Each structure stands twice: as structure tokens, then as C-alpha cells.
Amino acid sequence: MTLEKCQIITHVQKSLAFTAYDVKWVPCSARFVVLGQHARGTGALQVFELNTGDIKLVHEAEKSDAFKCGTFGASALRSRHLATGDFAGRMSVWDLERTEMPTYTVKAHDQIINCIDGAGGVGCAKGPPEIATGSRDGAVKIWDVRQEEKPVAKIAPVEGDIVHDTWAVAFGNSFNDHERVVCAGYENGDVKMFDLRTMSLLWETNVKNGVCSLEFDRKDIQMNKLAVATLEASYNIYDLRTLHPEKGFAHVTQKAHDATTVWAVRHLPQNREIFLTSGGNGSLNLNKYTYPQQRSKKDAKGRDEGVAGTIEQINTASVAEQPVAAFDWSPDKQGLCVFAAFDQAVRVGIVTKLDQYR
Amino acid sequence: MSAAAINIRKNAEDYKNYLSDLQSWESEIKAKDQAAKTAKPAQTPPVRQAASTAAPPLKQKPGAAGMVGVRTGTSIPITTREDSQPPAQDTDRALIEKEKGNAWFKKGDYERAVSCYTRSMQLDPSNAVLPVNRAMAYLKINKYEEAEADSTQGLKIDAKNVKALWRRGICRRELGKFAESKADFEKALVLEPTNKAVKDDLQKLVEKRARDAEALARPIRRRLEIEEVCDEDAKPIFMDVDSTRSISPLLTPAASRITSFAPKPAATPPQTATVPEVAAKVSPVKRAAPASPARTASPAPRRVITPISPANRTYTVPGTMYEFERDWKSVKRDPAVVYSYLKAIDPANYLKIFKNSLESDYLSTILAVLSTQARNHNDVSFARECMLALSRLPRFAMTAMFLSKTEKQTVRDLVAWMKAEAGAAAELDALLKAYDAQ
């Protein structure tokens, strides 16, 4: 770890009795939720709270199916319900004070829900609150809790085509009540972006390796950047402001984490140029994206073409021996984060000196 | 101080500052948390509908304006809650898919034909031919339920489609829905009286129905009355044997137990005669099971199998340990039966039956039985044969070690009795030694 730059420090570590697959901060609070699977195959949901230098378990629940992923993206500030996807393909929305029964549940897919994202809630106030789920059955479905049983939209391969597992899903471009874009990453490296206003495919590409994680730098602005983390130790950042008819979006690729999978890529909520990638070697890399002088230029035929910027690694820290599969920045406190590795432990981390990048 | 050391100190300071900051933040955020719980609910836009007409929908045609990116080969249509109207070119594409399906069907690849027809159905849901074709493909792979559903769908679109009616008739016939199948065939004949294929299928249906009815008409109830011969305190026994298809497999093993089945070819018939013989010695009590008529009046076939008195059972001579154990379980309750059972077994066969596994509780029971029953019947020779043969079994010494004191006393008594009756003292002494009962 280089010394002058931001430090990534593990503040508290707590071991769990189950494998954690996802961690999320509860918005506007000092609590976070850990979702995972017990050894006996049941789902584990635990809520911890930061308390003077330690974390305290405030609530736990065990459900029949293991949880894979969760999001607060579609929940209102008042209720802050957690939407989860589980191994049985069920999407449920939970009130963390009353976890005996979900407030909304639907059998979203017939196979495991690999990824989930929400928009229209606390972090992204524009547009209807929607939840996107991506599953091993190759489909991405958009749900609204106000509509029972049927999804608002379904994006699935044509019957008869080869099915690729959906590994990552993300909402973006939700800058007014009508616009929204959902981007899905598949196991064969496909990245497809769908416009939900026109219900059509906007852009697609193939990044050669399975996509583990996708994130727009901000959900609630006009789409600016997209980070795509893949297998084989690499990740791409796409500049989404200029779409070229043939070349698509401009991008920059970066290798990281010593030939292991890049499990998660997360932008800092307080500064969209700073993002962190977590790797299969148990390390966290803090990076900064710098825009080029000119974000677009003209190509030979006079059409607009985007120009990608550069990525600079600020610092790195090795925090676990196992892959760090889940990471979340606190939306309320800059530098506070929580992450979980496959070693059945959850850790609260602190990243210092982020103020210098304002 | 070196730059590194200064940095380390600075970092430590930063960390400490951050932590104290974190404390105050924690209390602040907890207050905000509480306040947020009582915040007023936000107004959210309504649930998203199908593609708005504000902008022209972009289709997935390569080269169209706005469609970009590397073609990845898999096409992803977006479907919404309300599907938009299919444009004219979709009917053409539907027909192309139908032709593809027909080609696969001719080649014999019915699965692929099904998927082609499915695609064409999605493109043009108003064409009745497509579901009917898919029904045919399903029929070929024996998926009758799906084929029926598809023919029904075809009929919804076109109620007078003879092919659909005909195919649905076939499916229903295969599924056993004979009345409906007949109705379908007849309706098809009404629409097209000269259709030979339909006539043939109707004929086949009639034949199939006759065959099935025959099977059903076989005798339904066969009540077996079992007479109780000895045991006064055994419960009244009877059995309802119902040979309807569903439960006959269950009852056949039980049914076979009641009748005395033919003894194994190797054994001679007189083996089974010993049981009635023994039974005859005890005063026979005939009980006509008065409660049975009342029970048989109940319409539903009852699978209640009440315990059968052992006296009515006949056993085959066991040839293996398995048979011996199986019979032993029911035999051991009644010493008389045990004795007759044992007598049925030729001592020379002990080795074959028991091999290494003569357990000590068998031995104890046999000895007990011998001491009472054999003495009653004065059957010295059998007792001696039996005991001798047992003692010659491999690992008998081990089993004998497990005999309790009372059992060894039983052995001594038996041997004493045998000596008194028959002599041959030396042999009997050897027997004592073998049983470790000196």
C-alpha cells in the first residue's frame, strides 16, 4: 500500500456462520444487511449496526432458500424495504423490521436469480420504482411492486436460441420520469443495453469474458460512464456520452488483481470518478478515471465518436485470502464501506483521504 | 524523520480523525434514520406501460439508425405487458418459419419442427394452421397433452378446421378421454363426410374402447372366507380381496399367502401335511366369521389386512436363511408350530440353511421347543438328530458360549431324557461337550 495516497483500512471484522453473497448499506442509517447461504442450504439475512468501533447484530432471519443478491435501489426513504433474489428464482421485498413475511414476492424466474438492481427509490429519485432481476435462465425481468405476478418488461432470448446466463444487471440514465436504461451482462461476455422507454435494444457488445459486475457511475443522471468487470482479471470503462453507429461506445480496458476474477466494481457515491474493484485474490483496488481533453471527436466520415479517458490506480489493499465477492459504499458517509469475502466474514472498511479528489 | 515515517504518522492521524468523525456521524445518522421512518411517502410515477408513442420504436434491424454495436448473434426481443401489433412482415416471417418446420417434420426431426412452429406462432398468432401443425409434431413425439392444447388453440382461431378436430380426437383417444374423442371425430365427419382417415380413427377408437371395457369388466370382488381352526382367542379374520387394477399389485403377495402355494419342486408334498396334522390334534373350532357379511356390504374395497392365525398358514420348507428368518418371525410365537416347522426341515440341510449364521436366540428357542414339544411327542430321535446337526454347524462353539445357565440346564435335561429313552450315552456325552453344558 503506497503511503501518501488514500488508505484502505479494515475497521471491523466479524465472522459469520454462513457464506455471504451480498452486502448492502441501509440508506440513511448506520446499518447494513448481509445476505447469504447457510451450509444447510437455507437463506441467511442479517442486519448489523455500527456502534462505537464495533458492529452489532440487530436482526436476523433464516429463510428456506438461500439469498444471492439484494438491493435498496427501488425502495422509498420512508420504508427502505430490501428487494432480494434467491437461489430458487424468487424475488421478494422485505421490511427489515418484520421479516417473517415478505411485503411482495413473486416467482420471477425458474432458475437462480444471479443479480438484482433497483431504481426509482432512495438513491435515484426519478421515475417509477422498478427492480430488475437477471437469472441463469438468460432472462432479465423488470418488476414493479405495484403490479402483482407479471413483470413490467421481460427481456429474454428468442425461443430456440442458445441461452446465456445473466450475471449482472444495472439501471442507468434515469434522469427524468420517463427515461431509463437497463444494462445486462452475460456469462459469454455479452453486454446489452436496453432502453425501457422505447422498449428496444440500444447497444450491445461482447467483452470476450464473462461479465461479473456492471455499474453505471450514476443512476440518476444522463448516462455518463459504465464500468464492466469481467473474468480474467480485467475491467472496462465505457464513455456513454457519444454513440457511434458502428463502433458503439468508446472504452478503456484495464488489467488488475493478478489474473483473478474482478468480482465487483463500485463507484463512490460521493464522487463518480472514483471507483473500487474487488478481486479474486482478496484485494481491493481504488482507481480514478480521468476524462480526456475532448470527450468526442469526428471520425473519417464526419460522425461523432467518443474518446475514452484514462484509469489510474490510487491504491490497493489486500483485505482477505478469499475472493471479495460483495462490496458496497455507504451512501451517507464518504469512505465508509462494507465488504464480504468467501471466508464467511464481513468487514467494515474505511478509505481515508478521499477529500483530496473533490 | 524520513518521509516514510512522516507519512505513516500522518496516516495514523488521518485514521484517528476519521474514526472520531465516524462517531459523531453515527449519532447524526441514527437521528436521521428515525426521522426518515416518519417521512411522508413520496409521489412516484405510475407503473411503466408499453413503449410510449413519444419516439418511434427502434427495431432490431441491422444497419438501422441508432442500432449499433458488434452483432453478438443472439437476438433479444423485448416483450411488454401489452404486446404491440405485429407488422405485415411478421406474417411473412411466420410463413418462412412454418416452411422450416415442415422441412424438419419431413426429415423426422420433430423437436426442431416444434421450435420452428413455436416461433412462427409467436410471429403470427392469427394463423390457425400453425398450432395445428405443432400439434401434429407433438403427436409424433407422443406429447399428447401439448398436442391437445395446440389443436384446441387452432380450433379457437378456426372452429371448422377438420385437421384440428381430427388431431384433437387422436390425442384425446390416447389420453383416455374416449367420449370427447368420439365427439371430435364425429364433428370432423360432419364437416368432411368423405374423410377416410377420420373414419379409420373413429373405428380404432371404438375398438380401443371395447378392449378397455373388457378389462374393466373382469370380476371385481372376490371375497375369501378363512376358517379359523384352533386358536380361541384369535380375532375373527376375513379379507376383502378386490382385484381392481389399482390395488391388485398390492394385494397379490398377501393373496398368495392365504392359499397354500405349491411347495418347491425339490421338497416332497408331505411337508405341508404336517401342519394340518398338528392342527387336527388340537380340537378344531370352526368359526364361520359371522361379522364378515356385514363387512363385505361396504362398497369401497378395503385394504385392511387383519392378522392371520398362524395355524392357517402353510410354510414351504426353507432352503435359505432368508426364508427361515422370514418364516421364523411368525412361527416363533407358537411352540407347536415351531416344532412342526423344525421337523419339516431335514437336519442335513442345516448347513445349507444356517451356514455360519445360527444366532444364539434361534438356538435358545429351538432348545426350549425341543425340551417341551419333543418330550410331549416322545420324539427322541428327532431331538437328537436336530441337536447333533446343530452342533456340527460351523462356529457353533461361539454360539454355544452365549447360552445362559438355564439354557445349559435345559440341554443337560434334554440329554438326560434322551439317555433315559434311547441310550447311546457316549454320543450324548459328546453332545453335552459340544454344547458346553457338562
Side-chain angles (χ1 to χ4, degrees), chain A residues 22 58 88-89 113 179 185 190 195 213 227 231 250 266 297 317 328 331 340 351-352:
Chain A
D22 204 2
V58 291
I113 294 180
E179 291 283 348
D190 281 348
D195 186 342
S213 171
L231 302 176
R266 295 280 180 266
K297 61 172 200 252
D328 195 33
V351 181
T352 60

Side-chain angles (χ1 to χ4, degrees), chain A residues 31 78 80 245 333-334 353, chain B residues 11 18 21 33 39 45 68 72:
Chain A
R31 286 172 287 145
R78 184 190 163 100
R80 279 168 291 164
K333 180 82 178 128
Q334 180 172 265
K353 295 197 214 158
Chain B
N11 287 334
Y18 193 98
D21 198 25
D33 194 5
V68 290
T72 49

Side-chain angles (χ1 to χ4, degrees), chain B residues 346-358 363 367 381-400 424 426-428 430-436:
Chain B
D346 181 7
N349 285 341
Y350 282 178
L351 181 60
K352 197 170 69 136
I353 298 172
F354 292 116
K355 296 195 188 108
N356 294 344
S357 44
L358 175 70
L363 185 59
L367 288 172
S381 55
F382 169 69
R384 196 183 62 217
E385 286 291 327
C386 182
M387 289 181 73
L388 264 174
L390 283 174
S391 69
R392 287 197 206 107
L393 286 175
R395 305 232 196 105
F396 181 77
M398 279 258 320
T399 323
E427 206 181 68
L428 293 171
L431 200 61
L432 266 180
K433 201 167 173 205
Y435 278 83
D436 196 22

Side-chain angles (χ1 to χ4, degrees), chain B residues 77-94:
Chain B
I78 304 186
T79 54
T80 62
R81 210 158 50 93
E82 295 140 20
D83 283 316
S84 43
Q85 295 290 67
Q89 31 212 184
D90 274 356
T91 29
D92 295 331
R93 275 157 66 198

Side-chain angles (χ1 to χ4, degrees), chain A residues 3 11 31 50 52 78 80 130 146-147 154-155 159 192 200-201 204 244-245 333-336 353, chain B residues 11 14 18-19 21 23 26 30 33 39 44-45 48 58 67-68 72 74 76 79 81 118-119:
Chain A
L3 295 173
H11 175 47
R31 286 172 287 145
L50 272 184
T52 57
R78 184 190 163 100
R80 279 168 291 164
E130 285 171 345
R146 298 168 290 183
Q147 184 171 291
K154 174 181 164 182
I155 302 158
E159 226 181 280
K192 295 183 196 249
S200 61
L201 181 66
E204 57 177 343
H244 188 268
K333 180 82 178 128
Q334 180 172 265
L336 185 63
K353 295 197 214 158
Chain B
N11 287 334
D14 278 335
Y18 193 98
L19 284 182
D21 198 25
Q23 287 293 86
E26 260 175 49
K30 282 176 192 172
D33 194 5
T44 51
R48 191 180 294 275
L58 304 166
M67 278 320 305
V68 290
T72 49
T74 52
I76 302 235
T79 54
R81 210 158 50 93
T118 312
R119 271 201 294 273

